[in-house]
Amino acid sequence: MPLDFEALSSWDFEEIQQTLTERDTILYALGLGFGEDPADKKELAFVYEDGLKAVPSMAVTMGYPGFWLRNPKTGVNWQKVLHGEQWLDIYKPLPVKGNIVGRTKIDFMSDKGEGKGAVIYQSREIFDADSGEKLARAAMSAFCRGDGGFGGENRPGPAPAVLPEREPDHICDIETLPRQALIYRLSGDYNPLHADPDVARSVGFDRPILHGLATYGLAARAILKTLLDYDAARLVGLDVRFSAPVYPGETVRFEIWEEAGEARFRASIPQRGVVVLNNGAARLA
């Protein structure tokens, strides 16, 4: 059954007001494994209140409207929705506490045809509620595998970043904890797929998988560590295409290429020979 195009075309998102605390900022970083070495002061800066810094990718959790596609009025078969791509532009270094406003909208929908699914492209502008300054813009595509054939146009999305054909300039391996998803979900994504083994098995996974946006946050961590000496203000954009899930406890390998003004990257699980993030681009100041 296809999605309800008319309902989605006029979908009214409530403005999300969020009170961001230092605890939220620390918890997000812990969900990405920062502080793995408690003697590493550069990583400690993201998980300790004395001189605390925000991980730039935290913007994707700010002013978040929740998993709204689960609303029956959308007509979407939410159990078959996959996070396809994520884009992020950061205009100012993120605050570690304060009042945040998020304003979400649907940009457009693409009908791949009956039996082929549909893609919903949405974006969210994130503001400092006190100053009115725009902090970031987060956008994503949701691949709705069970909702093609609603009669819409098959519109292409943004072109993915192209990876160089040469060998990568850097390799960065990041180990995840078996309980990584249980920590990351405390930053606001409580989808039981990432916690409940029965739910995971019901949709074809052996066990709960790591949140896609947690893997995305690992990419930010890899770029900060490998190229930026943990200078968070220099990471001003991060785009990826999701290609496969990560299981908590696995080691994620990032292959990174330095390009003019940015980095290109992909991530894989060497033990399984699977690419989990592809066509990655990090914009650097």
Side-chain angles (χ1 to χ4, degrees), residues 109-122:
M109 291 170 276
S110 181
D111 189 353
K112 302 302 178 183
E114 188 172 354
K116 298 181 180 179
V119 184
I120 299 174
Y121 294 88
Q122 67 184 70

Side-chain angles (χ1 to χ4, degrees), residues 117-128:
V119 184
I120 299 174
Y121 294 88
Q122 67 184 70
S123 61
R124 181 171 77 257
E125 293 188 323
I126 302 156
F127 296 86
D128 182 313

Side-chain angles (χ1 to χ4, degrees), residues 81-93:
V81 172
L82 296 175
H83 194 159
E85 296 154 295
Q86 182 72 43
W87 302 273
L88 177 64
D89 291 301
I90 303 167
Y91 307 122
K92 292 179 65 66

Side-chain angles (χ1 to χ4, degrees), residues 6-175:
E6 295 300 324
L8 289 170
S9 295
S10 57
W11 197 265
D12 184 22
F13 289 92
E14 292 185 3
E15 182 176 272
I16 302 298
Q17 300 186 24
Q18 174 190 0
T19 299
L20 178 71
T21 68
E22 289 186 341
R23 183 180 185 276
D24 297 326
T25 299
I26 292 170
L27 192 57
Y28 175 79
L30 288 173
L32 304 180
F34 278 87
E36 180 180 33
D37 178 359
D40 184 343
K41 289 191 174 182
K42 291 180 179 178
E43 285 212 350
L44 186 65
F46 295 93
V47 293
Y48 179 48
E49 63 274 14
D50 187 5
L52 183 64
K53 298 190 293 186
V55 181
S57 58
M58 186 177 71
V60 299
T61 71
M62 297 167 71
Y64 177 57
F67 189 32
W68 62 276
L69 287 172
R70 195 169 181 172
N71 188 323
K73 293 180 180 179
T74 66
V76 171
N77 185 342
W78 66 268
Q79 293 97 334
K80 292 188 176 182
V81 172
L82 296 175
H83 194 159
E85 296 154 295
Q86 182 72 43
W87 302 273
L88 177 64
D89 291 301
I90 303 167
Y91 307 122
K92 292 179 65 66
L94 301 181
V96 299
K97 61 180 180 180
N99 297 309
I100 304 298
V101 170
R103 298 175 186 145
T104 299
K105 66 174 182 175
I106 294 176
D107 296 314
F108 64 94
M109 291 170 276
S110 181
D111 189 353
K112 302 302 178 183
E114 188 172 354
K116 298 181 180 179
V119 184
I120 299 174
Y121 294 88
Q122 67 184 70
S123 61
R124 181 171 77 257
E125 293 188 323
I126 302 156
F127 296 86
D128 182 313
D130 297 322
S131 69
E133 291 182 300
K134 186 189 295 188
L135 299 173
R137 179 183 181 273
M140 64 166 287
S141 67
F143 180 41
C144 306
R145 293 177 292 164
D147 296 283
F150 62 83
E153 183 182 353
N154 184 2
R155 296 178 57 181
V162 177
L163 302 183
E165 295 184 0
R166 68 179 190 274
E167 289 295 308
D169 299 312
H170 306 277
I171 299 289
C172 178
D173 287 347
I174 295 181
E175 295 182 11

